[in-house]
Amino acid sequence: REVLFVCRQVLEVFHKRIPKGPCLGYKPIVLVKDDVPRAATNGLPEKYIVSLTCLHTRRFNQLVYQFAHELTHVYISPYISQPFVEILAVSVSLVLLKDMHALWRSIENLKMRSYAQKYLQYRNQIVSLALERSNLRLELQLSECESNQNSDESESKRQLAQIQNWVQQ
C-alpha cells in the first residue's frame, strides 16, 4: 500500500511539473518488478509498462528516483533512449526527489514524515557521485593534454581548471 501511495504522489508531482502529458498520450501505467528499470509499451498501444528494481521494497527514495526517471522516458517517448534523454531523465528525477522531500516534510503520517530527509540525502548522494565521476574524467583529460605535445599546455590546463571549478560549484 505504501509503495502505491508513493507512486501516486510521484505521478501527481510529476504532472504538476510537466502538465502537458506524454507525447503518446495518457494511458494506464503498469508497474512491474524487474532487474533493470525501463519504460516501454511492449507492443501494447493502450498502456505503458514501467519496470522498477525496487518496486517491492520500502526504499522510497530509490522508488521515487527510478519512477520519475522512467516517467520521463514515457513523457518523451518510451522508444527513445539516447544521452540527451538520459540527462533529462536524471535531472527530472533529482527535481522530484527535492519536491518529495518538501511534500513529505508536512505529511500527516509521522513515520513517512520522518522519511522526508532521506529524499534529500539520496539526491545529494547521486549528485556527489556524478561530480566525483566528472572530476575523474576531467583529470584524465588533463593528463591527456599534458602528453599531447601539439597543444598549448598552459591554455589547456587553464581551461580544464575552469571547468573543474565550475563542476565542483
Side-chain angles (χ1 to χ4, degrees), residues 90-127:
V90 168
S91 299
V92 169
S93 296
L94 294 173
V95 168
L96 256 72
L97 282 167
K98 190 175 178 182
D99 289 349
M100 291 295 284
H101 167 261
L103 182 64
W104 279 41
R105 279 182 29 211
S106 60
I107 203 164
E108 288 182 26
N109 183 317
L110 291 177
K111 187 168 84 175
M112 289 183 162
R113 188 183 312 165
S114 68
Y115 195 90
Q117 194 61 29
K118 290 187 181 184
Y119 289 124
L120 278 189
Q121 291 168 348
Y122 192 71
R123 179 183 185 275
N124 292 340
Q125 179 183 355
I126 291 168
V127 170

Side-chain angles (χ1 to χ4, degrees), residues 5-125:
F5 175 77
V6 173
C7 289
R8 283 187 178 136
Q9 282 190 318
V10 169
L11 280 169
E12 288 174 20
V13 172
F14 195 97
H15 185 68
K16 285 179 186 174
R17 287 275 181 186
I18 308 172
K20 295 274 186 189
C23 70
L24 299 178
Y26 286 105
K27 304 174 188 181
I29 296 173
V30 178
L31 297 173
V32 296
K33 184 182 180 328
D34 202 349
D35 294 334
V36 179
R38 68 178 145 240
T41 60
N42 290 357
L44 304 170
E46 71 278 356
K47 61 181 138 185
Y48 298 108
I49 309 294
V50 173
S51 302
L52 305 171
T53 63
C54 56
L55 191 57
H56 301 298
T57 70
R58 299 198 55 194
R59 293 186 307 245
F60 301 136
N61 49 9
Q62 187 179 3
L63 178 66
V64 168
Y65 181 85
Q66 282 186 15
F67 192 32
H69 185 105
E70 298 313 320
L71 274 177
T72 304
H73 284 284
V74 165
Y75 271 57
I76 293 172
S77 173
Y79 303 115
I80 299 173
S81 184
Q82 56 177 285
F84 182 71
V85 174
E86 289 303 316
I87 290 168
L88 287 174
V90 168
S91 299
V92 169
S93 296
L94 294 173
V95 168
L96 256 72
L97 282 167
K98 190 175 178 182
D99 289 349
M100 291 295 284
H101 167 261
L103 182 64
W104 279 41
R105 279 182 29 211
S106 60
I107 203 164
E108 288 182 26
N109 183 317
L110 291 177
K111 187 168 84 175
M112 289 183 162
R113 188 183 312 165
S114 68
Y115 195 90
Q117 194 61 29
K118 290 187 181 184
Y119 289 124
L120 278 189
Q121 291 168 348
Y122 192 71
R123 179 183 185 275
N124 292 340
Q125 179 183 355

